[in-house]
Amino acid sequence: MLTNKKIFITGSTRGIGRETAIVCAAHGATLILHGRDMVTLEKLKEEIISQYGVTVHILAYDVRDTSEIKNAFVWIKKNVGRLDVLVNNAGVLDDALLGMINEGQMSNTFAINIEAVIYHMQFASRLMAKQKHGSIINVSSIIGKTGNAGQTVYGASKAAVIGATYSASKELGSHNIRVNAVAPGFIDTDMTKQLTEDKYAQRISEIRMNRIGKPEEVANTILFLASDLSSYITGQVIGVDGGMVI
């Protein structure tokens, strides 16, 4: 499904990002993988090349650094030549009740969850506009759609991702660049493993399908949006939540 496509995935060393990298590799994509730790990226690169035999490039930088984001796209243009798909997956979850939120927590969450998303879209769209095609996929969250107690900052940042997706899709559609988002629900990642047994059970009780989601189920939705099967889909937010109602 992705043969000859060049795909850039941010936050690709664990959880949904890692699974997306593996799924895309299985479908023949050339990968540009991002993370903050070069050692972890090297291990992932070796694993994917060994298993799937595709080309893998790695870029290590902090998405809060705008100059590093720009440098990443300069590198992609010079060394890869084009970019077909951007998956804006890098994110952070830092919960706090109202009254306990501090300035550092807020600025860090917004810098990673939405400011970096916009900057990556901005630089990616410049490459894609010259090609007259591209797909941008932003990873939001069900919390960005419904909200949740103790997650005002996180929910606001993920709601902003949805708003940015809608606006960018209208702006970039004339360039044949599609912009969509996925909104995962309760997914089996490192974030959910930190929950207490009671909180975990509560979350499962809120899901109509009565189970936690798998990272590959989100990755498969991203695969669809990255592929030509979704060639007439833009400006959409697809929930991957098993019928979760918070």
Side-chain angles (χ1 to χ4, degrees), residues 9-26 31 33-34 39-48 51-52 87 89-90 189-190 215-216 219 222:
I9 305 167
T10 69
S12 61
T13 57
R14 60 179 184 167
I16 291 169
R18 175 185 169 86
E19 198 60 42
T20 298
I22 291 169
V23 166
C24 289
L31 301 178
L33 303 181
H34 157 268
V39 173
T40 306
L41 281 169
E42 287 282 7
K43 288 180 180 178
L44 179 59
K45 175 182 177 178
E46 291 173 11
E47 177 186 334
I48 289 175
Q51 189 164 356
Y52 300 104
V87 182
N89 171 72
T189 64
D190 290 344
E216 56 263 38
I222 293 172

Side-chain angles (χ1 to χ4, degrees), residues 94-108:
D94 191 0
D95 293 350
L97 293 167
L98 285 171
M100 301 297 290
I101 298 167
N102 62 62
E103 186 177 344
Q105 177 186 36
M106 188 178 298
S107 61
N108 187 62

Side-chain angles (χ1 to χ4, degrees), residues 26-39:
H27 285 270
T30 293
L31 301 178
I32 304 124
L33 303 181
H34 157 268
R36 285 191 294 179
D37 181 62
M38 183 59 81
V39 173

